[in-house]
Amino acid sequence: MVGIIVSSPGVLELIAQAPLVPPEAGEVTIRVERAGICGSDMHILHGSNPFARYPRVIGHEFAGQVMQVGSGVTCIAVGDRVVVDPVLPCGTCYPCRIGRPNVCGNLQVLGVHRDGGFRDHCNVPAASCVKLPADMPIEVATLAEPFAVAANVLSRTGIGAEDIVLIYGAGTVGLTVLQVAKLHGARCIISDPDTARLERALGFGADVVVDPRAASVADAVRDENDGLGPTVVIDGAGIPALLLEACQVASPVGRIGLLGFSAAPCNISQQEIVKKELTLVGSRLNKQFLGPVVGWLAEGKLRPAAMITQTFAAKDARAAFDLIERDPASTIKVHLDFMN
Ligand code: MN
């Protein structure tokens, strides 16, 4: 029985997990099989996630098998294989009432506000579980949450086959956005100052890659869309200064999606926004996109296998975190195997 806990900022510990408690009404007990390490787990470890409270069992990307169901649970049965949506809305506040539960005023996120999935067993609401097709490998299902984050930002901007999408950053977020945009038929340009990451982006279907050290992004997109520029710009890098450039290069009627969580202000031109009627949208977590993503994965519309660059036994979690700290460029998604 192992649990991976951040006891205080900077301190990662493997703990023996407390004995199992039975699931409460409406909950199920999951035997976690696989989990993915996210940038936001690293932020909690570093003390730079404003929402985290310590000590915390981290982990919000996880999948496994249902071992036990609490009273009143009818949609999920013992033995079902599931992936868990970590977003727990209250269901009654204004955002919840108007169908935006991922920005619930009383939001709880597994692995952030509450103990998460980096442990052998955990109890979660049955309503947060998405059932998996029998033949879907558990490691593939574990990627549903990061792909759901990409699906969310593209639902906020809108996405279609006529779109030309500029994505800043070819890290994990950029590569998931790229794949979800491609499955909608869009043309995709991805910018990153790292040649190896750009090579990888080409393998995931990027139409054009830009190294901003060699050519400015503005020059690289100048001829797109009859010279008007990209119709959608996604900041998958979380760098505030990019927003100014995003507004400058976007097409009239362009939509700009932001995923970063920096508190730093950035100066953007009101003129660009008004002149072109740009739409700037934030995107947080995901709004019940794990179900659709599991469908896309089942239909083979995404390329999940190549996203998982390393898998460590859960007991070797420290080595996994060390690798991400030491050599992030060698990783896209690092997984922890809780069956091993
Ligand atoms: Mn994540």
Side-chain angles (χ1 to χ4, degrees), residues 199-226:
E199 285 292 326
R200 251 175 2 201
L202 286 170
F204 283 105
D207 297 285
V208 179
V209 294
V210 184
D211 181 344
R213 297 168 307 177
S216 77
V217 171
D219 282 343
V221 301
R222 197 174 302 284
D223 294 334
E224 297 289 344
N225 189 20
D226 303 323

PDB file of all heavy atoms in Angstrom, residues 199-226:
ATOM      1  N   GLU A 199      10.568  18.570 -33.600  1.00  0.00           N
ATOM      2  CA  GLU A 199      10.595  17.290 -34.330  1.00  0.00           C
ATOM      3  C   GLU A 199       9.449  16.399 -33.866  1.00  0.00           C
ATOM      4  O   GLU A 199       8.746  15.772 -34.653  1.00  0.00           O
ATOM      5  CB  GLU A 199      11.913  16.553 -34.053  1.00  0.00           C
ATOM      6  CG  GLU A 199      13.118  17.125 -34.780  1.00  0.00           C
ATOM      7  CD  GLU A 199      13.012  16.900 -36.286  1.00  0.00           C
ATOM      8  OE1 GLU A 199      12.471  15.856 -36.695  1.00  0.00           O
ATOM      9  OE2 GLU A 199      13.432  17.796 -37.043  1.00  0.00           O
ATOM     10  N   ARG A 200       9.283  16.351 -32.553  1.00  0.00           N
ATOM     11  CA  ARG A 200       8.213  15.545 -31.979  1.00  0.00           C
ATOM     12  C   ARG A 200       6.846  16.029 -32.451  1.00  0.00           C
ATOM     13  O   ARG A 200       5.965  15.230 -32.784  1.00  0.00           O
ATOM     14  CB  ARG A 200       8.275  15.649 -30.451  1.00  0.00           C
ATOM     15  CG  ARG A 200       8.742  14.396 -29.809  1.00  0.00           C
ATOM     16  CD  ARG A 200       8.961  14.393 -28.343  1.00  0.00           C
ATOM     17  NE  ARG A 200       8.695  15.536 -27.532  1.00  0.00           N
ATOM     18  CZ  ARG A 200       9.235  15.731 -26.330  1.00  0.00           C
ATOM     19  NH1 ARG A 200      10.066  14.838 -25.828  1.00  0.00           N
ATOM     20  NH2 ARG A 200       8.944  16.778 -25.618  1.00  0.00           N
ATOM     21  N   ALA A 201       6.698  17.360 -32.499  1.00  0.00           N
ATOM     22  CA  ALA A 201       5.406  17.933 -32.918  1.00  0.00           C
ATOM     23  C   ALA A 201       5.078  17.512 -34.348  1.00  0.00           C
ATOM     24  O   ALA A 201       3.914  17.239 -34.675  1.00  0.00           O
ATOM     25  CB  ALA A 201       5.435  19.448 -32.784  1.00  0.00           C
ATOM     26  N   LEU A 202       6.090  17.442 -35.214  1.00  0.00           N
ATOM     27  CA  LEU A 202       5.855  16.989 -36.593  1.00  0.00           C
ATOM     28  C   LEU A 202       5.314  15.563 -36.578  1.00  0.00           C
ATOM     29  O   LEU A 202       4.395  15.231 -37.330  1.00  0.00           O
ATOM     30  CB  LEU A 202       7.151  17.066 -37.402  1.00  0.00           C
ATOM     31  CG  LEU A 202       7.599  18.475 -37.806  1.00  0.00           C
ATOM     32  CD1 LEU A 202       9.009  18.447 -38.391  1.00  0.00           C
ATOM     33  CD2 LEU A 202       6.620  19.104 -38.805  1.00  0.00           C
ATOM     34  N   GLY A 203       5.862  14.725 -35.686  1.00  0.00           N
ATOM     35  CA  GLY A 203       5.402  13.348 -35.572  1.00  0.00           C
ATOM     36  C   GLY A 203       3.963  13.253 -35.098  1.00  0.00           C
ATOM     37  O   GLY A 203       3.273  12.272 -35.379  1.00  0.00           O
ATOM     38  N   PHE A 204       3.508  14.272 -34.373  1.00  0.00           N
ATOM     39  CA  PHE A 204       2.125  14.285 -33.888  1.00  0.00           C
ATOM     40  C   PHE A 204       1.186  15.019 -34.851  1.00  0.00           C
ATOM     41  O   PHE A 204       0.048  15.286 -34.501  1.00  0.00           O
ATOM     42  CB  PHE A 204       2.041  14.905 -32.494  1.00  0.00           C
ATOM     43  CG  PHE A 204       2.504  13.976 -31.390  1.00  0.00           C
ATOM     44  CD1 PHE A 204       3.734  14.147 -30.778  1.00  0.00           C
ATOM     45  CD2 PHE A 204       1.703  12.922 -30.976  1.00  0.00           C
ATOM     46  CE1 PHE A 204       4.156  13.291 -29.770  1.00  0.00           C
ATOM     47  CE2 PHE A 204       2.114  12.062 -29.967  1.00  0.00           C
ATOM     48  CZ  PHE A 204       3.347  12.241 -29.363  1.00  0.00           C
ATOM     49  N   GLY A 205       1.693  15.374 -36.017  1.00  0.00           N
ATOM     50  CA  GLY A 205       0.800  15.897 -37.052  1.00  0.00           C
ATOM     51  C   GLY A 205       0.841  17.394 -37.299  1.00  0.00           C
ATOM     52  O   GLY A 205       0.001  17.918 -38.052  1.00  0.00           O
ATOM     53  N   ALA A 206       1.816  18.109 -36.706  1.00  0.00           N
ATOM     54  CA  ALA A 206       1.897  19.557 -36.965  1.00  0.00           C
ATOM     55  C   ALA A 206       2.135  19.793 -38.455  1.00  0.00           C
ATOM     56  O   ALA A 206       2.910  19.078 -39.093  1.00  0.00           O
ATOM     57  CB  ALA A 206       3.030  20.172 -36.151  1.00  0.00           C
ATOM     58  N   ASP A 207       1.434  20.798 -39.006  1.00  0.00           N
ATOM     59  CA  ASP A 207       1.615  21.121 -40.416  1.00  0.00           C
ATOM     60  C   ASP A 207       2.848  21.992 -40.619  1.00  0.00           C
ATOM     61  O   ASP A 207       3.530  21.883 -41.644  1.00  0.00           O
ATOM     62  CB  ASP A 207       0.363  21.842 -40.935  1.00  0.00           C
ATOM     63  CG  ASP A 207      -0.856  20.937 -40.863  1.00  0.00           C
ATOM     64  OD1 ASP A 207      -0.967  20.023 -41.696  1.00  0.00           O
ATOM     65  OD2 ASP A 207      -1.675  21.112 -39.936  1.00  0.00           O
ATOM     66  N   VAL A 208       3.104  22.887 -39.676  1.00  0.00           N
ATOM     67  CA  VAL A 208       4.252  23.799 -39.752  1.00  0.00           C
ATOM     68  C   VAL A 208       4.836  23.895 -38.355  1.00  0.00           C
ATOM     69  O   VAL A 208       4.086  23.980 -37.373  1.00  0.00           O
ATOM     70  CB  VAL A 208       3.814  25.220 -40.207  1.00  0.00           C
ATOM     71  CG1 VAL A 208       5.001  26.166 -40.270  1.00  0.00           C
ATOM     72  CG2 VAL A 208       3.083  25.177 -41.537  1.00  0.00           C
ATOM     73  N   VAL A 209       6.161  23.883 -38.241  1.00  0.00           N
ATOM     74  CA  VAL A 209       6.783  24.133 -36.945  1.00  0.00           C
ATOM     75  C   VAL A 209       7.665  25.376 -37.063  1.00  0.00           C
ATOM     76  O   VAL A 209       8.238  25.640 -38.113  1.00  0.00           O
ATOM     77  CB  VAL A 209       7.599  22.930 -36.424  1.00  0.00           C
ATOM     78  CG1 VAL A 209       6.693  21.752 -36.131  1.00  0.00           C
ATOM     79  CG2 VAL A 209       8.711  22.553 -37.376  1.00  0.00           C
ATOM     80  N   VAL A 210       7.715  26.135 -35.977  1.00  0.00           N
ATOM     81  CA  VAL A 210       8.455  27.400 -35.964  1.00  0.00           C
ATOM     82  C   VAL A 210       9.399  27.398 -34.784  1.00  0.00           C
ATOM     83  O   VAL A 210       8.972  27.159 -33.641  1.00  0.00           O
ATOM     84  CB  VAL A 210       7.496  28.607 -35.821  1.00  0.00           C
ATOM     85  CG1 VAL A 210       8.280  29.912 -35.905  1.00  0.00           C
ATOM     86  CG2 VAL A 210       6.385  28.555 -36.842  1.00  0.00           C
ATOM     87  N   ASP A 211      10.662  27.671 -35.068  1.00  0.00           N
ATOM     88  CA  ASP A 211      11.622  27.893 -33.997  1.00  0.00           C
ATOM     89  C   ASP A 211      11.809  29.406 -33.882  1.00  0.00           C
ATOM     90  O   ASP A 211      12.430  30.023 -34.759  1.00  0.00           O
ATOM     91  CB  ASP A 211      12.952  27.210 -34.328  1.00  0.00           C
ATOM     92  CG  ASP A 211      13.974  27.394 -33.218  1.00  0.00           C
ATOM     93  OD1 ASP A 211      13.772  28.284 -32.361  1.00  0.00           O
ATOM     94  OD2 ASP A 211      14.970  26.654 -33.218  1.00  0.00           O
ATOM     95  N   PRO A 212      11.264  30.022 -32.837  1.00  0.00           N
ATOM     96  CA  PRO A 212      11.280  31.493 -32.759  1.00  0.00           C
ATOM     97  C   PRO A 212      12.690  32.067 -32.621  1.00  0.00           C
ATOM     98  O   PRO A 212      12.875  33.270 -32.772  1.00  0.00           O
ATOM     99  CB  PRO A 212      10.427  31.794 -31.527  1.00  0.00           C
ATOM    100  CG  PRO A 212      10.441  30.545 -30.711  1.00  0.00           C
ATOM    101  CD  PRO A 212      10.606  29.407 -31.680  1.00  0.00           C
ATOM    102  N   ARG A 213      13.673  31.201 -32.368  1.00  0.00           N
ATOM    103  CA  ARG A 213      15.056  31.694 -32.340  1.00  0.00           C
ATOM    104  C   ARG A 213      15.565  31.907 -33.763  1.00  0.00           C
ATOM    105  O   ARG A 213      16.474  32.705 -33.993  1.00  0.00           O
ATOM    106  CB  ARG A 213      15.975  30.686 -31.631  1.00  0.00           C
ATOM    107  CG  ARG A 213      15.631  30.462 -30.163  1.00  0.00           C
ATOM    108  CD  ARG A 213      16.378  29.257 -29.637  1.00  0.00           C
ATOM    109  NE  ARG A 213      16.147  28.087 -30.496  1.00  0.00           N
ATOM    110  CZ  ARG A 213      16.711  26.903 -30.329  1.00  0.00           C
ATOM    111  NH1 ARG A 213      17.567  26.702 -29.348  1.00  0.00           N
ATOM    112  NH2 ARG A 213      16.435  25.914 -31.156  1.00  0.00           N
ATOM    113  N   ALA A 214      14.980  31.185 -34.710  1.00  0.00           N
ATOM    114  CA  ALA A 214      15.456  31.251 -36.095  1.00  0.00           C
ATOM    115  C   ALA A 214      14.611  32.197 -36.946  1.00  0.00           C
ATOM    116  O   ALA A 214      15.112  32.857 -37.847  1.00  0.00           O
ATOM    117  CB  ALA A 214      15.457  29.853 -36.712  1.00  0.00           C
ATOM    118  N   ALA A 215      13.318  32.239 -36.678  1.00  0.00           N
ATOM    119  CA  ALA A 215      12.407  33.074 -37.472  1.00  0.00           C
ATOM    120  C   ALA A 215      11.301  33.542 -36.539  1.00  0.00           C
ATOM    121  O   ALA A 215      10.833  32.768 -35.710  1.00  0.00           O
ATOM    122  CB  ALA A 215      11.810  32.256 -38.607  1.00  0.00           C
ATOM    123  N   SER A 216      10.893  34.794 -36.671  1.00  0.00           N
ATOM    124  CA  SER A 216       9.847  35.266 -35.772  1.00  0.00           C
ATOM    125  C   SER A 216       8.539  34.551 -36.088  1.00  0.00           C
ATOM    126  O   SER A 216       8.277  34.165 -37.236  1.00  0.00           O
ATOM    127  CB  SER A 216       9.666  36.779 -35.896  1.00  0.00           C
ATOM    128  OG  SER A 216       8.943  37.075 -37.062  1.00  0.00           O
ATOM    129  N   VAL A 217       7.730  34.372 -35.076  1.00  0.00           N
ATOM    130  CA  VAL A 217       6.424  33.738 -35.264  1.00  0.00           C
ATOM    131  C   VAL A 217       5.593  34.577 -36.231  1.00  0.00           C
ATOM    132  O   VAL A 217       4.904  34.049 -37.114  1.00  0.00           O
ATOM    133  CB  VAL A 217       5.713  33.555 -33.904  1.00  0.00           C
ATOM    134  CG1 VAL A 217       4.265  33.113 -34.097  1.00  0.00           C
ATOM    135  CG2 VAL A 217       6.478  32.540 -33.042  1.00  0.00           C
ATOM    136  N   ALA A 218       5.699  35.907 -36.097  1.00  0.00           N
ATOM    137  CA  ALA A 218       4.933  36.788 -36.982  1.00  0.00           C
ATOM    138  C   ALA A 218       5.287  36.522 -38.446  1.00  0.00           C
ATOM    139  O   ALA A 218       4.401  36.423 -39.305  1.00  0.00           O
ATOM    140  CB  ALA A 218       5.205  38.253 -36.618  1.00  0.00           C
ATOM    141  N   ASP A 219       6.577  36.369 -38.739  1.00  0.00           N
ATOM    142  CA  ASP A 219       6.991  36.076 -40.121  1.00  0.00           C
ATOM    143  C   ASP A 219       6.489  34.705 -40.557  1.00  0.00           C
ATOM    144  O   ASP A 219       6.042  34.529 -41.692  1.00  0.00           O
ATOM    145  CB  ASP A 219       8.519  36.115 -40.246  1.00  0.00           C
ATOM    146  CG  ASP A 219       9.039  37.547 -40.310  1.00  0.00           C
ATOM    147  OD1 ASP A 219       8.222  38.453 -40.591  1.00  0.00           O
ATOM    148  OD2 ASP A 219      10.240  37.749 -40.042  1.00  0.00           O
ATOM    149  N   ALA A 220       6.568  33.748 -39.634  1.00  0.00           N
ATOM    150  CA  ALA A 220       6.215  32.370 -39.986  1.00  0.00           C
ATOM    151  C   ALA A 220       4.733  32.223 -40.318  1.00  0.00           C
ATOM    152  O   ALA A 220       4.360  31.330 -41.081  1.00  0.00           O
ATOM    153  CB  ALA A 220       6.592  31.423 -38.848  1.00  0.00           C
ATOM    154  N   VAL A 221       3.875  33.062 -39.741  1.00  0.00           N
ATOM    155  CA  VAL A 221       2.426  32.907 -39.987  1.00  0.00           C
ATOM    156  C   VAL A 221       1.884  33.965 -40.958  1.00  0.00           C
ATOM    157  O   VAL A 221       0.691  34.009 -41.224  1.00  0.00           O
ATOM    158  CB  VAL A 221       1.604  32.949 -38.666  1.00  0.00           C
ATOM    159  CG1 VAL A 221       2.056  31.841 -37.717  1.00  0.00           C
ATOM    160  CG2 VAL A 221       1.683  34.309 -37.986  1.00  0.00           C
ATOM    161  N   ARG A 222       2.788  34.783 -41.471  1.00  0.00           N
ATOM    162  CA  ARG A 222       2.368  35.946 -42.273  1.00  0.00           C
ATOM    163  C   ARG A 222       1.495  35.560 -43.464  1.00  0.00           C
ATOM    164  O   ARG A 222       0.564  36.280 -43.827  1.00  0.00           O
ATOM    165  CB  ARG A 222       3.614  36.709 -42.755  1.00  0.00           C
ATOM    166  CG  ARG A 222       3.330  38.115 -43.218  1.00  0.00           C
ATOM    167  CD  ARG A 222       4.598  38.888 -43.557  1.00  0.00           C
ATOM    168  NE  ARG A 222       5.548  39.002 -42.458  1.00  0.00           N
ATOM    169  CZ  ARG A 222       5.409  39.835 -41.421  1.00  0.00           C
ATOM    170  NH1 ARG A 222       4.363  40.629 -41.360  1.00  0.00           N
ATOM    171  NH2 ARG A 222       6.317  39.883 -40.464  1.00  0.00           N
ATOM    172  N   ASP A 223       1.791  34.438 -44.101  1.00  0.00           N
ATOM    173  CA  ASP A 223       1.045  34.072 -45.311  1.00  0.00           C
ATOM    174  C   ASP A 223      -0.178  33.209 -45.033  1.00  0.00           C
ATOM    175  O   ASP A 223      -0.908  32.841 -45.962  1.00  0.00           O
ATOM    176  CB  ASP A 223       1.974  33.329 -46.284  1.00  0.00           C
ATOM    177  CG  ASP A 223       3.073  34.250 -46.805  1.00  0.00           C
ATOM    178  OD1 ASP A 223       2.838  35.484 -46.837  1.00  0.00           O
ATOM    179  OD2 ASP A 223       4.154  33.742 -47.148  1.00  0.00           O
ATOM    180  N   GLU A 224      -0.394  32.870 -43.777  1.00  0.00           N
ATOM    181  CA  GLU A 224      -1.526  31.995 -43.451  1.00  0.00           C
ATOM    182  C   GLU A 224      -2.853  32.747 -43.630  1.00  0.00           C
ATOM    183  O   GLU A 224      -2.934  33.955 -43.390  1.00  0.00           O
ATOM    184  CB  GLU A 224      -1.429  31.509 -41.995  1.00  0.00           C
ATOM    185  CG  GLU A 224      -0.214  30.653 -41.699  1.00  0.00           C
ATOM    186  CD  GLU A 224      -0.281  29.266 -42.324  1.00  0.00           C
ATOM    187  OE1 GLU A 224      -1.385  28.843 -42.727  1.00  0.00           O
ATOM    188  OE2 GLU A 224       0.784  28.606 -42.428  1.00  0.00           O
ATOM    189  N   ASN A 225      -3.883  32.012 -44.019  1.00  0.00           N
ATOM    190  CA  ASN A 225      -5.234  32.588 -44.060  1.00  0.00           C
ATOM    191  C   ASN A 225      -5.274  33.831 -44.960  1.00  0.00           C
ATOM    192  O   ASN A 225      -5.771  34.880 -44.576  1.00  0.00           O
ATOM    193  CB  ASN A 225      -5.662  32.925 -42.617  1.00  0.00           C
ATOM    194  CG  ASN A 225      -7.103  33.333 -42.482  1.00  0.00           C
ATOM    195  OD1 ASN A 225      -7.920  33.043 -43.347  1.00  0.00           O
ATOM    196  ND2 ASN A 225      -7.409  34.037 -41.404  1.00  0.00           N
ATOM    197  N   ASP A 226      -4.737  33.693 -46.178  1.00  0.00           N
ATOM    198  CA  ASP A 226      -4.685  34.799 -47.140  1.00  0.00           C
ATOM    199  C   ASP A 226      -4.031  36.045 -46.542  1.00  0.00           C
ATOM    200  O   ASP A 226      -4.449  37.175 -46.805  1.00  0.00           O
ATOM    201  CB  ASP A 226      -6.110  35.171 -47.628  1.00  0.00           C
ATOM    202  CG  ASP A 226      -6.821  33.988 -48.254  1.00  0.00           C
ATOM    203  OD1 ASP A 226      -6.143  33.193 -48.948  1.00  0.00           O
ATOM    204  OD2 ASP A 226      -8.044  33.830 -48.020  1.00  0.00           O
TER     205      ASP A 226
END
